[in-house]
């Protein structure tokens, strides 16, 4: 079983910044990708940013230029930093992992419990 533990989030003023962190643990043979999605009220869950293993990070168009995603050297922790937050960035942010639990199994997709980010004055 793979567990994703998230930290960060909360109330942020417009124009402010946030930092989210997520650590994957459990039965992990290899991590294919680690990233973040978000879901605003009444909307579908959407990609924020992701880090494919050995590849270039991918960002949603709405966050390009004001966000940075990075993984630690061990590769099991991913952090997301977002600047210039606006009320439309308000959402529940979810950590996402694509993981080979075992070398003989296809990769599975796992989600964190979500952390609320509210941008408001």
């Amino acid at each position: 079983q793979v567990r994703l533990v998230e930290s960060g989030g909360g109330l942020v003023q417009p124009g402010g910044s946030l930092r989210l962190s997520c650590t994957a643990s459990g039965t992990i043979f290899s991590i294919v990708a680690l990233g973040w999605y978000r879901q605003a009220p009444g909307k579908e869950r959407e990609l924020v940013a992701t880090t494919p293993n050995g590849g270039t990070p991918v960002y949603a168009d709405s966050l390009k230029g004001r966000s940075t995603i990075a993984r630690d050297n061990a590769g099991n922790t991913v952090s997301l930093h977002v600047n210039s937050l606006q009320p439309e960035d308000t959402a529940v942010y979810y950590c996402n992992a694509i993981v080979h639990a075992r070398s003989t199994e296809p990769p599975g997709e796992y989600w964190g419990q979500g952390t609320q980010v509210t941008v408001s004055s």
Side-chain angles (χ1 to χ4, degrees):
Q1 185 174 356
V2 176
R3 184 182 181 206
L4 301 178
V5 177
E6 302 154 336
S7 63
L11 178 63
V12 183
Q13 290 192 341
S17 62
L18 68 82
R19 185 180 184 276
L20 303 177
S21 184
C22 171
T23 298
S25 63
T27 305
I28 298 173
F29 173 74
S30 68
I31 297 177
V32 177
L34 268 180
W36 290 91
Y37 284 68
R38 68 184 182 184
Q39 187 167 19
K43 294 188 177 181
E44 293 186 355
R45 193 172 296 188
E46 63 176 3
L47 173 72
V48 175
T50 188
T51 58
N53 216 29
T56 302
V58 176
Y59 296 91
D61 287 344
S62 61
L63 286 115
K64 283 181 181 177
R66 63 186 183 101
S67 60
T68 302
I69 190 169
R71 287 167 65 174
D72 69 344
N73 289 336
N76 284 16
T77 296
V78 62
S79 61
L80 175 71
H81 190 236
V82 183
N83 297 317
S84 303
L85 286 163
Q86 297 303 318
E88 52 265 35
D89 293 312
T90 295
V92 178
Y93 285 68
Y94 295 92
C95 183
N96 172 267
I98 310 296
V99 173
H100 282 281
R102 296 174 176 83
S103 61
T104 55
E105 296 177 359
E109 186 172 35
Y110 301 87
W111 295 93
Q113 77 281 5
T115 182
Q116 177 70 47
V117 172
T118 301
V119 183
S120 174
S121 56

